């Protein structure tokens, strides 16, 4: 049982490049989330998908887009990467917004 | 502003000793409070979740308490083990249509042999 799988685990980009972070869960959860974690700050919500077919902005959505491809997969896209987007990105899923969230092990992204 | 503050920022204890981590929150409307453990290089893992009416919840050697009146929570770790070395994150859920989470910055615990 893999839980939440994120790819890639590490990535280095140049300013202005684009990339997509992938996330898949095998727990049949309805809700999925993207967070970023920066030193000295709590996790911050970028986007979430309450259920398949819906997406909504979180606390820090600027510079990002998301796609809920199906119930299992939720991707995060950086269209034009900026150094301020250097962070660790976590994907999470939960049966609904009340139940505890299950997190992947993160993607460590550096933008030069 | 919704905030979750944790103390201490970091802590070192000897293996076998007990410790208590603190969490104060100013979050409204409150739904529940969660404690997560995050090992270095890994994602957070849920330890406990408590609603407004619950004062205490245990998960093995971890015991969380909640005082909704003073808006304080604590996480007590009993008979610490080296594997308890991690960051412990206090998270409060907002009682909104789709519940969103407010994360603390965590307490980094090091258990020394």
């Amino acid at each position: 049982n893999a839980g939440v799988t994120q790819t890639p685990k590490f990535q280095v980009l140049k300013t202005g490049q684009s990339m997509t972070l992938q996330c898949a869960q095998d727990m049949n959860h309805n809700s999925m989330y993207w967070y970023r974690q920066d030193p000295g700050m709590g996790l911050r919500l970028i986007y979430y998908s309450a259920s398949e077919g819906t997406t909504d902005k979180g606390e820090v959505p600027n510079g990002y887009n998301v796609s809920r491809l199906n119930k299992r997969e939720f991707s995060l896209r950086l269209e034009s990467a900026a150094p301020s987007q250097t962070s660790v990105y976590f994907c999470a899923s939960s049966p609904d917004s009340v139940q505890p969230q299950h997190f992947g092990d993160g993607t460590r992204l550096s933008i030069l | 502003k919704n905030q979750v503050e944790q103390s201490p920022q970091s802590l070192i204890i000897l293996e076998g000793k007990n410790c208590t981590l603190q969490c104060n929150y100013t979050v409204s409307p409150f739904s529940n409070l969660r404690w997560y453990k995050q090992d270095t290089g890994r994602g957070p893992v849920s330890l406990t979740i408590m609603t407004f009416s619950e004062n205490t919840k245990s998960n093995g050697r971890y015991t969380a308490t909640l005082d909704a009146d003073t808006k304080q929570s604590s996480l007590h770790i009993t008979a610490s083990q080296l594997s308890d070395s991690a960051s412990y994150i206090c998270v409060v859920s907002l009682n909104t249509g789709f519940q969103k989470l407010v994360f603390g910055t965590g307490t980094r615990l090091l258990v020394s042999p």
Side-chain angles (χ1 to χ4, degrees):
Chain A
N1 189 354
V4 178
T5 302
Q6 293 185 236
T7 57
K9 295 188 186 307
F10 303 92
Q11 185 72 46
V12 178
L13 293 178
K14 293 181 179 178
T15 298
Q17 288 185 317
S18 63
M19 81 161 296
T20 300
L21 280 59
Q22 307 286 353
C23 174
Q25 53 93 7
D26 61 3
M27 296 171 283
N28 200 37
H29 286 170
N30 291 309
S31 303
M32 298 187 72
Y33 316 80
W34 277 105
Y35 293 92
R36 60 179 289 173
Q37 186 175 40
D38 300 296
M41 302 184 73
L43 275 81
R44 293 181 292 169
L45 182 65
I46 304 171
Y47 271 93
Y48 68 96
S49 172
S51 60
E52 184 180 0
T54 69
T55 60
D56 284 287
K57 295 178 180 179
E59 183 183 355
V60 288
N62 291 345
Y64 306 95
N65 285 301
V66 291
S67 295
R68 183 76 182 264
L69 304 171
N70 47 55
K71 192 170 186 178
R72 291 187 63 250
E73 298 172 290
F74 189 38
S75 62
L76 178 72
R77 182 161 179 85
L78 286 70
E79 291 290 352
S80 179
S84 60
Q85 294 177 305
T86 293
S87 188
V88 182
Y89 291 86
F90 286 99
C91 177
S93 72
S94 62
D96 52 47
S97 67
V98 178
Q99 298 301 316
Q101 295 179 11
H102 297 252
F103 286 81
D105 283 336
T107 293
R108 283 142 188 86
L109 181 62
S110 292
I111 299 162
L112 307 177
Chain B
K1 181 180 179 182
N2 292 318
Q3 282 188 317
V4 175
E5 296 182 349
Q6 295 186 242
S7 61
Q9 280 191 316
S10 61
L11 182 63
I12 302 174
I13 62 172
L14 290 174
E15 186 179 10
K17 298 297 186 182
N18 303 335
C19 68
T20 300
L21 314 180
Q22 301 291 343
C23 173
N24 296 333
Y25 62 92
T26 53
V27 174
S28 181
F30 174 90
S31 177
N32 58 67
L33 187 143
R34 311 166 185 211
W35 282 94
Y36 280 84
K37 178 187 179 187
Q38 184 175 21
D39 292 318
T40 301
R42 306 296 299 273
V45 174
S46 179
L47 292 175
T48 63
I49 179 170
M50 290 182 291
T51 61
F52 184 87
S53 59
E54 295 176 296
N55 300 119
T56 303
K57 183 160 281 188
S58 292
N59 178 357
R61 296 179 295 102
Y62 301 103
T63 299
T65 64
L66 174 64
D67 185 332
D69 291 332
T70 61
K71 299 187 178 181
Q72 295 179 327
S73 177
S74 65
L75 180 70
H76 186 74
I77 304 174
T78 303
S80 60
Q81 300 176 358
L82 297 179
S83 59
D84 292 331
S85 294
S87 287
Y88 292 85
I89 304 173
C90 177
V91 186
V92 179
S93 177
L94 292 163
N95 190 14
T96 53
F98 184 86
Q99 295 190 10
K100 298 192 180 107
L101 306 182
V102 182
F103 289 79
T105 56
T107 292
R108 186 178 296 274
L109 175 66
L110 177 63
V111 180
S112 177

